[in-house]
């Protein structure tokens, strides 16, 4: 037994001295019920766990891509242009939502209905863009209610 | 969880159809559920109507379609297979209504519209 125990630290020293030093404190940890980390991955586990945690951000990018493939199936879009389109959609959403919120408050109503959104579209979008947008919205609402 | 599972199973068993998303019901690509959540969480009003979210998603999808269609044509005219910020800038600035909508917007890495002021041009007829 003693020669085997002596062999183990001898095998460890050519790799590095630090993990062998960390073994006695690491051996104390499994008393809590945790497994010993393997030698190779020992110092990097904390970093790997931190790297795995990623905050997900919600964007409209996949939907913009679907619309692009409907309109131009063979055209792609760069990541910067996609970012610009995402910012555009967020900006217009914010403008329409703010205007709808104000309209509901002016009329002392606690609800934003499709009527408020329609009025906001007429106020925010200029000219023909507003007319086409209203017709698209009405068509979508009709199809949604009929299904 | 069990109640939810039961209702889903009963719906699919009774109707025999898969559950459709609201975007699929309205025939849209933009997410109606996500837009509804944004409207509710950001405190625009106490209540949000169901048709309001459908209408808003349809309007946003129409605007995205409009910009992407013209930008795709601009990209093709420049013999490119990929839309870049320059193409979006040319799209927006050459269209009167989109330019009015995005009058106070700066597009990153997009350049300017080529224009020479008349006073800077060489005088052709000199008396």
């Amino acid at each position: 037994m003693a020669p085997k125990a002596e062999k183990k630290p001898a095998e460890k020293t050519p790799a590095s001295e630090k993990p062998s030093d960390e073994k006695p404190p690491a051996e104390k940890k499994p008393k809590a019920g945790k497994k010993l980390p393997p030698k190779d991955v020992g110092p990097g586990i904390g970093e790997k766990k931190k790297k795995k945690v990623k905050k997900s951000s919600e964007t409209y990018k996949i939907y913009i891509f679907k619309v692009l493939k409907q309109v131009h199936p063979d055209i792609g879009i760069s990541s910067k242009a996609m970012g610009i389109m995402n910012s555009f959609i967020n900006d217009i959403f914010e403008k329409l939502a703010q205007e709808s919120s104000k309209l509901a408050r002016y009329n002392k109503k606690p609800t934003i209905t499709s009527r408020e959104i329609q009025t906001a579209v007429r106020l925010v979008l200029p000219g023909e863009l507003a007319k086409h947008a209203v017709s698209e919205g009405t068509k979508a609402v009709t199809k949604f209610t009929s299904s | 969880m069990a109640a939810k599972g039961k209702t889903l199973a009963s719906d699919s068993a009774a109707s025999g159809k898969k559950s459709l998303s609201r975007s699929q019901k309205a025939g849209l690509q933009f997410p109606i559920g996500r837009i509804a959540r944004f409207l509710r969480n950001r405190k625009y009003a106490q209540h949000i109507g169901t048709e309001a979210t459908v209408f808003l998603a349809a309007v946003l999808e129409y605007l995205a379609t409009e910009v992407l269609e013209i930008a795709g044509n601009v990209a093709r005219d420049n013999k490119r297979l990929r839309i870049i910020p320059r193409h979006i800038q040319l799209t927006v600035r050459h269209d009167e209504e989109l330019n009015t909508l995005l009058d106070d917007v700066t597009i990153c890495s997009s350049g300017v519209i080529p224009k020479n002021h008349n006073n800077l041009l060489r005088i052709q007829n000199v008396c």
Side-chain angles (χ1 to χ4, degrees):
Chain A
M1 289 300 291
K4 282 183 184 177
E6 286 174 356
K7 278 181 187 175
K8 282 179 185 178
E11 287 174 352
K12 288 168 196 172
T13 45
S16 61
E17 290 180 356
K18 287 181 181 178
S20 62
D21 294 332
E22 286 179 353
K23 271 194 173 182
E27 284 171 358
K28 285 177 185 175
K29 283 180 183 177
K31 285 179 183 178
K34 292 180 185 177
K35 290 183 182 177
L36 271 173
K39 296 174 194 179
D40 301 329
V41 197
I45 277 188
E47 294 170 0
K48 281 188 182 178
K49 281 183 182 174
K50 284 177 189 174
K51 281 181 185 175
K52 280 181 184 174
V53 176
K54 277 185 185 177
K55 279 191 178 177
S56 62
S57 60
E58 287 181 319
T59 63
Y60 293 98
K61 291 182 181 180
I62 57 170
Y63 312 106
I64 292 167
F65 196 78
K66 284 180 189 175
V67 168
L68 176 63
K69 289 300 153 187
Q70 276 186 336
V71 171
H72 291 290
D74 54 339
I75 300 280
I77 185 165
S78 70
S79 63
K80 280 191 178 175
M82 182 60 90
I84 291 167
M85 288 302 301
N86 187 47
S87 299
F88 167 66
I89 298 293
N90 279 320
D91 184 36
I92 301 297
F93 174 91
E94 184 69 30
K95 282 184 186 175
L96 291 175
Q98 281 289 345
E99 193 60 46
S100 304
S101 172
K102 284 182 198 173
L103 284 165
R105 211 169 340 115
Y106 295 160
N107 293 307
K108 296 171 192 172
K109 297 271 171 70
T111 315
I112 288 177
T113 63
S114 60
R115 196 161 189 273
E116 275 78 25
I117 302 286
Q118 186 170 338
T119 311
V121 167
R122 283 193 217 267
L123 288 170
V124 171
L125 301 187
E128 284 294 316
L129 216 55
K131 284 183 195 170
H132 291 300
V134 165
S135 69
E136 287 285 322
T138 312
K139 189 173 70 174
V141 167
T142 309
K143 192 172 179 188
F144 181 80
T145 49
S146 65
S147 66
Chain B
M1 290 296 289
K4 283 182 186 176
K6 279 180 186 175
T7 53
L8 281 169
S10 63
D11 284 342
S12 61
S15 62
K17 292 178 187 175
K18 284 183 182 177
S19 61
L20 288 174
S21 63
R22 283 188 276 179
S23 302
Q24 284 173 331
K25 284 184 190 173
L28 298 174
Q29 301 297 322
F30 270 53
I32 292 178
R34 189 177 286 185
I35 288 171
R37 179 165 45 91
F38 286 161
L39 281 173
R40 275 177 231 282
N41 289 352
R42 294 176 188 177
K43 307 281 184 189
Y44 292 110
Q46 200 177 352
H47 301 288
I48 307 291
T50 47
E51 291 181 358
T53 57
V54 179
F55 201 104
L56 185 54
V59 169
L60 293 175
E61 185 171 325
Y62 164 70
L63 289 170
T65 308
E66 193 73 20
V67 173
L68 286 171
E69 188 172 350
I70 305 173
N73 291 336
V74 170
R76 199 173 279 142
D77 291 342
N78 289 324
K79 296 169 192 171
R80 298 277 183 270
L81 290 174
R82 207 176 282 152
I83 295 172
I84 60 174
R86 174 71 175 165
H87 301 152
I88 297 178
Q89 169 83 319
L90 291 171
T91 301
V92 169
R93 302 303 164 205
H94 280 303
D95 187 85
E96 189 185 340
E97 290 180 342
L98 285 175
N99 190 31
T100 309
L101 181 63
L102 301 179
D103 191 26
D104 52 352
V105 168
T106 304
I107 297 174
C108 182
S109 305
S110 60
V112 294
I113 303 299
K115 186 187 174 185
N116 292 318
H117 201 277
N118 290 328
N119 289 345
L120 298 174
L121 294 173
R122 197 175 290 180
I123 301 167
Q124 290 179 356
N125 296 324
V126 180
C127 301

